[in-house]
Amino acid sequence: CSTADLGPISLNWFEELSSEAPP
Amino acid sequence: YSTEQTEIADLPACDSWNPGSLQLVSKFKNPSSSCSVDVSAMWWEGAGAKEPCIITACEDIVSLWKPLATLEWEKVQSWHFTEIPVLQIVPVPDVFNLICVALGNLEIREIRALLCSSGDESETQVLLKSGNIKAVLGLTKRRLVSSIGTFCNQQVQIMTFAEDGGSKDEQLLMPPDETILTFAEVQGMQDALLGTTTVNNIVIWNLKTGQLLKKVHIDDSYQASVCHRAYSEMGLLFVVLSHPCAKESQAFGSPMFQLLVINPKTAQSVGVLLCCLPQGQAGRFLEGDVKDHIAAAVLTSGTIAVWDLLLGHCTAVLPPVSDQNWSLVKWSSTDSHLLAGQKDGNIFIYRY
């Protein structure tokens, strides 16, 4: 399987999702 | 891969498991007359030293067993339950001398803490939660997460214990508006928590802020998946699921465990490994446990099977012993041992 199928990957996904999600 | 491709690629060969990789270390019998429902291992502190102990749970009694020098086990403490039967032990990491248990009939109605201070063997129970409890899990850093209620009337709460198991702090997480089935901690990320839901979503929370970060819809091939383990690597989430409700297929038998990779940023996921039974084995998943990269399951046939998720195949099969089917399997949290139990209270400890 290729990770390309999963879309762009971010090493800081947790911090980025936390800044985007409603408080 | 599609699910079908993964199944073909990972179907284990007949001779790929080694029954000798489980070696019996010790065994003991819980004399309770009620049905044995769970087993767990934990550290217990007494007389200034920490010991690896075994907790056994029958419907009406929970017992603490300490090791003797002769590879035997001695029951040192028991807690009795006369009103509501015990359903499961809920281990809480990083707390000594505290056991949590879930009580109920088909569903959890209460979570209780069982306490025993050093040198004092008096029985103490504290009611922590009551209600329509759907899921509960002990987390690192002395935390316990539980969800009460369903759909929009759901409360997801984190309880933090003091080091001695005493006073506690409580915090709410944003509910996902769909019923939570199971929780899983993300290894190495103490502020991240996953949940599986009844509509086949995996939800991700930030435990520090209580935020619901993402919902990831997973393959509808298997309903009511249970998440056993999760870790984050290179920006991806790897989760190990089991599928207790999966139907047996003629070609591949029942899928037992699945390793799924999720990109949390895009909510895209793909299955990378499907653990099925080796040829010649039959049965469906009854219950199981995953520690590091090793997964163990009790099958409806009464056999225990073990998979190495790195090798991608079954590595050991343990048939019923003394004509008694296995009903419980747990990895010890204190060493690399496998705890295997039978309904009549027999507990066998194997080295893997």
Side-chain angles (χ1 to χ4, degrees):
Chain A
C1 107
S2 165
T3 52
D5 302 337
L6 299 169
I9 293 165
S10 169
L11 294 178
N12 299 317
W13 64 268
F14 189 73
E15 292 73 19
E16 289 172 16
L17 291 181
S18 297
S19 66
E20 293 161 10
Chain B
Y1 296 110
S2 71
T3 304
E4 191 180 346
Q5 284 170 320
T6 308
E7 283 174 339
I8 294 165
D10 300 307
L11 189 69
C14 186
D15 59 354
S16 63
W17 51 270
N18 169 23
S21 57
L22 287 172
Q23 297 163 339
L24 184 63
V25 175
S26 65
K27 61 179 180 178
F28 60 95
K29 184 173 170 65
N30 190 349
S32 169
S33 57
S34 69
C35 183
S36 183
V37 294
D38 205 356
V39 62
S40 185
M42 67 176 292
W43 292 102
W44 198 267
E45 194 167 9
K50 277 182 283 186
E51 287 181 298
C53 291
I54 303 283
I55 313 294
T56 58
C58 294
E59 286 177 332
D60 63 358
I61 186 169
V62 172
S63 303
L64 170 70
W65 303 75
K66 287 191 176 180
L68 299 173
T70 52
L71 289 178
E72 291 174 334
W73 294 83
E74 177 190 28
K75 184 154 72 173
V76 290
Q77 172 88 34
S78 289
W79 294 263
H80 294 83
F81 302 86
T82 51
E83 290 176 15
I84 309 176
V86 179
L87 283 176
Q88 66 177 98
I89 299 164
V90 185
V92 183
D94 308 325
V95 186
F96 297 119
N97 300 15
L98 172 87
I99 304 162
C100 287
V101 290
L103 310 174
N105 291 296
L106 287 174
E107 298 203 318
I108 301 170
R109 283 172 52 196
E110 287 186 356
I111 300 167
R112 285 179 178 264
L114 314 181
L115 303 155
C116 172
S117 52
S118 302
D120 174 9
E121 293 188 355
S122 62
E123 184 177 323
T124 312
Q125 296 182 29
V126 178
L127 179 65
L128 298 178
K129 291 274 164 202
S130 64
N132 180 16
I133 299 165
K134 291 293 178 186
V136 59
L137 181 72
L139 308 175
T140 54
K141 307 280 178 191
R142 308 188 303 274
R143 298 168 298 177
L144 184 86
V145 60
S146 60
S147 70
I148 300 181
T150 57
F151 305 112
C152 301
N153 299 317
Q154 196 170 215
Q155 194 180 59
V156 189
Q157 196 167 48
I158 301 277
M159 186 180 281
T160 306
F161 295 96
E163 268 184 54
D164 62 358
S167 63
K168 50 203 180 288
D169 183 41
E170 293 192 359
Q171 182 205 343
L172 288 174
L173 302 183
M174 187 178 285
D177 293 339
E178 49 195 74
T179 307
I180 296 162
L181 281 175
T182 57
F183 292 109
E185 198 165 18
V186 182
Q187 199 171 320
M189 294 183 74
Q190 66 177 55
D191 292 334
L193 179 72
L194 302 188
T196 59
T197 74
T198 49
V199 291
N200 255 21
N201 281 332
I202 290 182
V203 291
I204 308 170
W205 286 279
N206 182 331
L207 287 176
K208 212 169 192 173
T209 61
Q211 289 167 292
L212 181 62
L213 301 182
K214 205 78 170 179
K215 279 186 190 177
V216 179
H217 189 70
I218 54 172
D219 193 340
D220 278 321
S221 303
Y222 310 113
Q223 297 292 318
S225 301
V226 174
C227 188
H228 292 269
R229 190 181 166 231
Y231 60 96
S232 176
E233 203 167 287
M234 302 298 286
L236 295 169
L237 258 180
F238 293 77
V239 298
V240 181
L241 303 172
S242 67
H243 305 296
C245 300
K247 286 179 184 149
E248 206 163 343
S249 88
Q250 256 190 332
F252 310 111
S254 296
M256 299 293 158
F257 292 99
Q258 183 182 201
L259 179 63
L260 199 71
V261 181
I262 295 169
N263 182 350
K265 280 290 282 184
T266 61
Q268 296 294 310
S269 67
V270 64
V272 291
L273 175 69
L274 197 64
C275 296
C276 296
L277 286 178
Q279 285 166 17
Q281 294 291 324
R284 291 177 55 201
F285 181 96
L286 197 61
E287 72 152 57
D289 193 25
V290 179
K291 185 181 179 188
D292 299 327
H293 60 279
I294 311 292
V298 177
L299 315 178
T300 48
S301 62
T303 292
I304 286 174
V306 179
W307 288 264
D308 186 317
L309 301 174
L310 293 179
L311 296 175
H313 62 72
C314 181
T315 53
V317 171
L318 190 63
V321 168
S322 308
D323 292 331
Q324 287 281 323
N325 284 352
W326 297 114
S327 60
L328 309 167
V329 68
K330 286 282 154 59
W331 292 105
S332 165
S333 58
T334 59
D335 48 38
S336 63
H337 291 167
L338 183 81
L339 313 173
Q342 298 169 335
K343 277 204 161 55
D344 63 1
N346 275 313
I347 301 292
F348 293 69
I349 302 171
Y350 291 90
R351 183 182 295 116
Y352 178 74

